[in-house]
Amino acid sequence: MPSSQTPAKINIYDSNVVKQVLDDHLVKILINEEFKEDVQLSNQKIILGLLSCGLAALSHFWPTPFPHNKTLLIFCVVSYMILSAALQYIATYKEKDFIFLTQSRLRYSDDAMEVASTLKKYGEIYTMSLAKKGLGTKKVEKSVSITKYFYSDGVFAEDKFEKDVKQMLKEFLGLNLSLIHI
Amino acid sequence: VSTQSTGVKPIKRCCFFSLSYFFTTTKTMDSIAEWSDSVKRMRPRMILQQIINFGLIVSTALMIWKSLMVITGSESPIVVVLSGSMEPAFYRGDLLFLYQNDGPIRVGEIVVFRLEGREIPIVHRVLEVHERESSIDILTKGDNNQVDDRGLYNQGQEWLNRHHVIGRAKGFLPYVGMVTIIMNDYPYLKYALIFVLGLFVVINRE
């Protein structure tokens, strides 16, 4: 069923748009399955970003003229470098290729997951994975050629994509059950 | 005045036509449609993150400038030579690297000074220095000028003091500053450049 948000046609030769469309739809399906976003990491990034911009504004708009505000400038520059390094660290090591982090659906259901996806530039294979939060080893992965999800004129085959995602989700939840049994 | 206006108008018309051509070609209309689709698909949190990313780019540039100010000690660490008064040492459009410290100012040094009430600093060479117990009097002159700078100084001012000097020249890069001069003479170019750059940053979701 075509939704109002998915574009009828996209340019299938633009890897960025293809990945965006698939990622956005993947997240949409998960949200429909009652998964809520875990905003902790995103909040950390937003707060660090706002702090950095605040430091820059502070260093620029503080009323003291130049030679006298040197200590303030040194403080701002050094703190900005530290915050930038922290943001870089988060982007490289904590975020990796995640597109969505979820909370557990119910307090005891323990199905919080890290959703990641990769698509090489001009590549054909789209790899999506659902990994158990924190335990990256327990994950379900699916690599599919993007030609399966897009018609040659650029129309997005939502139903095919949805079927694959739902099957992957079932596998992931099945993983959880087997863990509980052990 | 008449030469100035004939110089600016053709540039303004040229900018207008090139920008409208740029926006009416179908490729750009497609990109705009694609961009609005991609933004519609973004969750509000992601849009906030994009805005913050834009702010971070601006902040990084600002911070690099501030750190240069701290390292060199000068409030304007990089300046562009605007006039030909220092030829053949510096030509109009050269980029100048400045530094500042409390050391003695000597005759022959190239200094950049800002007079009270004037926004644009001037880069000239020190001609005379008179050191007193707690202050110094400086007289400057441009290499390519016939007379010293007393005519340039404010009414009743005969000497420069240390607080007028915002930096001394350490090194230079020829021609690189021409971009700034062109953008200052033709502000439409500056606004167009900023607009296009801002557009690229916001459009690119990555």
Side-chain angles (χ1 to χ4, degrees), chain B residues 135-146:
Chain B
S135 65
I136 54 175
D137 287 340
I138 303 168
L139 180 63
T140 58
K141 175 182 172 298
D143 287 351
N144 210 17
N145 289 346
Q146 301 286 41

Side-chain angles (χ1 to χ4, degrees), chain B residues 16-196:
Chain B
F16 175 71
F17 280 127
S18 55
L19 274 179
S20 36
Y21 177 73
F22 175 67
F23 280 112
T24 49
T25 51
T26 31
K27 195 152 188 274
T28 323
M29 291 311 276
D30 282 347
S31 327
I32 291 183
E34 273 172 28
W35 169 69
S36 61
D37 277 335
S38 123
V39 166
K40 267 189 243 135
R41 265 185 278 116
M42 278 165 80
R43 308 191 294 276
R45 192 166 272 270
M46 292 162 79
I47 294 183
L48 176 64
Q49 186 67 52
Q50 281 294 93
I51 296 174
I52 292 183
N53 285 347
F54 177 72
L56 279 177
I57 292 178
V58 174
S59 301
T60 305
L62 184 62
M63 278 317 194
I64 293 179
W65 182 254
K66 296 282 171 193
S67 57
L68 271 181
M69 276 170 73
V70 168
I71 293 173
T72 62
S74 161
E75 68 182 73
S76 198
I78 304 181
V79 294
V80 175
V81 176
L82 286 178
S83 71
S85 59
M86 280 300 284
E87 293 181 14
F90 302 129
Y91 290 89
R92 187 171 136 86
D94 287 351
L95 208 67
L96 221 51
F97 299 108
L98 307 180
Y99 75 102
Q100 176 74 301
N101 59 25
D102 287 333
I105 298 181
R106 297 287 184 228
V107 170
E109 276 193 58
I110 298 172
V111 295
V112 176
F113 57 92
R114 196 205 308 264
L115 298 163
E116 280 107 349
R118 316 263 183 97
E119 209 189 280
I120 304 180
I122 303 169
V123 52
H124 281 167
R125 202 181 290 272
V126 174
L127 203 62
E128 284 179 29
V129 172
H130 298 277
E131 282 178 354
R132 302 175 198 291
E133 262 173 26
S134 55
S135 65
I136 54 175
D137 287 340
I138 303 168
L139 180 63
T140 58
K141 175 182 172 298
D143 287 351
N144 210 17
N145 289 346
Q146 301 286 41
V147 296
D148 60 38
D149 289 345
R150 279 232 172 83
L152 271 179
Y153 298 162
N154 287 330
Q155 190 75 283
Q157 180 184 3
E158 282 186 20
W159 304 96
L160 288 179
N161 304 111
R162 191 178 273 280
H163 68 267
H164 291 108
V165 176
I166 60 174
R168 323 164 197 219
K170 185 119 195 184
F172 85 113
L173 272 179
Y175 311 119
V176 178
M178 260 308 178
V179 182
T180 315
I181 290 185
I182 293 175
M183 292 217 285
N184 258 321
D185 286 348
Y186 306 115
Y188 308 103
L189 206 59
K190 182 166 43 169
Y191 301 139
L193 192 71
I194 291 181
F195 178 66
V196 168

